[in-house]
Amino acid sequence: MSSPDDSSETPAPLWDEHRWEQLLRESDARTDKYLALFEKYQDHPDCDAIIDREMGWVDDKEDSETSAGEDGMPPIELNEDEMADAAAELARRRVHPLAESAREFVSRLFAVFVHGERPAEEHPAVGALISGASICAAKVRAALGIFGEEMREPGMTIAYLKRGLKALMDGLVSLDACERAGLVRGGQAAELRAQGFAVRGGIIAKMGELRAELRRRQGGT
């Protein structure tokens, strides 16, 4: 049996972002599921943990370890404050800062256009803006939540981020329409635009890092 270091074995070529994009076109149903979960649980204090479980992003081993101790005994009972602290700590360890920034932008849009003084979620421009930002958050969360900083599949991570970036930019175009329609004040629109473009900048920077890593693994410079 040959070892992993056997020079006679040729490693499988890494998929680039374009090949991954082709695959991802067939898996957009997961994005729809994420959006439905986010809309349902966005105000829940354990939103990320609930979505992780429902999306299958929590390892089965983790679930079994939380349901029973190593010796098979029932888990230790925690009060509500302790459970909230544990969930918050889990979220801090699991969620990439860029994914959190994208989610915070969606939450801010909901606060302004859905839960604000003048709800306007029925306006087409608002719907397009929130939809684009939400799809972006889903793509970024899927990319960095699954693969994290290990960059096991940089091509796939780039493909997710690229799709998220496009959705974000398509949505931000509608922010101008929201401002023209008087659905958001100028100063508030500027703040939202800055927050959205900060997410955009983070995605572009991350894609640059991943492309450099992909070139390195493919033997490039």
Side-chain angles (χ1 to χ4, degrees), residues 6-132:
D6 191 336
S7 59
S8 65
E9 293 186 359
T10 302
L14 285 172
W15 279 19
D16 63 17
E17 62 194 84
H18 306 293
R19 193 171 180 186
W20 278 115
E21 283 182 56
Q22 184 177 2
L23 176 65
L24 292 178
R25 293 190 189 102
E26 303 171 2
S27 62
D28 283 343
R30 290 183 63 78
T31 295
D32 294 335
K33 181 178 179 181
Y34 177 96
L35 295 178
L37 289 169
F38 183 84
E39 184 174 356
K40 182 177 180 179
Y41 295 111
Q42 61 173 311
D43 296 324
H44 194 287
D46 298 334
C47 174
D48 287 323
I50 294 172
I51 290 177
D52 283 351
R53 184 179 66 250
E54 295 295 327
M55 294 295 295
W57 291 335
V58 177
D59 189 9
D60 289 340
K61 183 178 180 182
E62 292 181 16
D63 285 344
S64 64
E65 288 176 350
T66 56
S67 61
E70 294 182 358
D71 56 359
M73 297 298 290
I76 298 173
E77 295 284 341
L78 299 178
N79 61 41
E80 291 186 6
D81 290 338
E82 290 171 330
M83 291 177 65
D85 291 342
E89 176 59 25
L90 178 62
R92 281 193 292 271
R93 287 190 285 112
R94 291 177 55 86
V95 180
H96 189 281
L98 181 55
E100 182 62 22
S101 295
R103 192 180 79 88
E104 287 175 354
F105 181 49
V106 177
S107 295
R108 179 60 179 157
L109 293 176
F110 270 92
V112 171
F113 294 107
V114 179
H115 305 305
E117 296 178 359
R118 296 182 299 167
E121 66 267 29
E122 299 300 326
H123 194 283
V126 172
L129 172 59
I130 293 179
S131 175

Side-chain angles (χ1 to χ4, degrees), residues 159-172:
Y160 266 102
L161 293 176
K162 184 188 292 185
R163 290 157 73 87
L165 179 62
K166 182 182 185 304
L168 175 65
M169 296 313 297
D170 288 346
L172 284 174

